[in-house]
Structure formats: C-alpha cells, structure tokens
Amino acid sequence: MNIAFCLYDGMTALDFVGAYDAITRLERMDLSPLEWDVCAPTASVTGTQLTLEVDRVEPDLGEYDLVFLPGGYATRELRHDGDFLEWIRTAAECEYLTSVCTGSLLLGGAGLLEGKRATTHPGEFETLAEYATVVEQRVVQDGNVITGGGVAASVDLGLYIVEELTDRETRETVAAQMDYPYGEAVFEQ
C-alpha cells in the first residue's frame, strides 16, 4: 500500500497528525508493509503554527493507492482554487480517497464526491451538502471514499483505515499501542 498524505498551508495539524500516526504504525510496528509520502503544492507547509517539510511537491496522485486530505480553515478557499483542485483530481482512480474534517470539501470541490455519502466537521455540513449526501457520523465509508468528522475524528479515521487495510485484530493492536480506548463505537455502525 502506497499512501499520499496531501497537505497545504492553513491545514489543521491534528487533522493530519492523528490519522498519520495511526496509519503509519502499520509499518513502524511491523504489522503490514506500507509506504507513504507527505505531499503538498510547496516544499513546506504551515498549519496551525506547525511548519512541515514535505517529501514530494505536487506528484501525480494517481501513483498512490490511498490519498488522504486533512481539513482546516484554508479549505473554504482551496475548494475553489483551480490549480489545487486539478492536482487533487489526479487521485480520481486511486483505490481509496480519504479525508478528515473539512478535507471532504476539497474532495467535493475536485468533483470526487459526486453521488457519495460523506461527513465533515459538524459546522460545515451545509457546505458539504453542495457536493455529497451528508451523514452525521464520526466515520463514513461509501465505496472507495472514507471521510471523518471534526478534528479529533482524525484518530478514529486513521484506525478505521488501519482495519480497512488489514483486519480488526491489527486495528485493536494499533489502538492499544496508542492507548486509545475511545474509537470502538466507530466500528459498530
């Protein structure tokens, strides 16, 4: 599995870090082979006062099996940014399209949520309704699209993806290692 974590200036750091930490433990804990790149339109990005260097600048996202987009206040403008959305559209044929919080607005702006059910931060349900059928749940999967709710849902989404890529036992192992006992209800939907 090869993953692109797609970042941008103005993202919410926890949106990225929560899912990133859970998912990359598959490789770091020797549970399942995994490769990933942190990608962005620029060589570094700043989100909620945290600056990160990226591995790849605007790669063709079609090279990846899974693409992940965090949310953040910048999504309100980026969902109308033609150049940014063109880059995100290169993920159209990926096995999985994933987002947390308002990252779903970017998938929607890129036309990748048409006919899908999705979720986002509760404060942006109305905006998401422009692109998808809104489901008020912590994590929503509709085919190859997996979306998570507000900021803290990033960990739940990451663990959900861990189970999707492996199995329940592996997800439970990762959650236990993270000392995260809160996500079980997400898996009993």
Side-chain angles (χ1 to χ4, degrees), residues 48-126:
T48 51
Q49 300 179 347
L50 177 68
T51 300
L52 300 166
E53 293 183 18
V54 303
D55 301 313
R56 297 185 69 194
V57 175
E58 287 191 343
D60 178 346
L61 298 174
E63 299 172 12
Y64 295 92
D65 303 304
L66 186 149
V67 168
F68 171 84
L69 285 159
Y73 285 106
T75 59
R76 279 70 163 184
E77 291 181 24
L78 284 175
R79 71 187 182 108
H80 301 293
D81 182 311
D83 291 336
F84 184 82
L85 295 176
E86 191 61 37
W87 176 50
I88 299 304
R89 282 186 198 102
T90 66
E93 299 302 318
C94 290
E95 187 175 352
Y96 293 101
L97 300 173
T98 68
S99 68
V100 71
C101 199
T102 58
S104 60
L105 302 180
L106 300 176
L107 291 174
L112 302 175
L113 293 182
E114 192 171 324
K116 299 284 187 181
R117 296 176 310 114
T119 196
T120 190
H121 187 284
E124 291 298 327
F125 285 156
E126 190 174 307

Side-chain angles (χ1 to χ4, degrees), residues 18-19 21-27 29-32 139 154-189:
D21 188 86
I23 296 166
T24 60
R25 283 178 191 262
L26 287 173
E27 176 68 26
M29 293 173 63
D30 293 321
L31 297 170
S32 182
V139 175
S154 183
V155 174
D156 294 318
L157 177 76
L159 290 169
Y160 188 96
I161 290 169
V162 165
E163 184 169 328
E164 178 71 17
L165 299 181
T166 59
D167 53 41
R168 180 183 180 140
E169 181 179 336
T170 302
R171 187 255 306 158
E172 289 173 348
T173 298
V174 170
Q177 207 283 326
M178 293 174 70
D179 190 25
Y180 189 75
Y182 310 108
E184 196 61 35
V186 170
F187 302 92
E188 297 173 357
Q189 297 177 19

Side-chain angles (χ1 to χ4, degrees), residues 3-14:
I3 298 175
F5 292 97
C6 299
L7 309 184
Y8 51 87
D9 286 328
M11 68 167 186
T12 299
L14 183 56

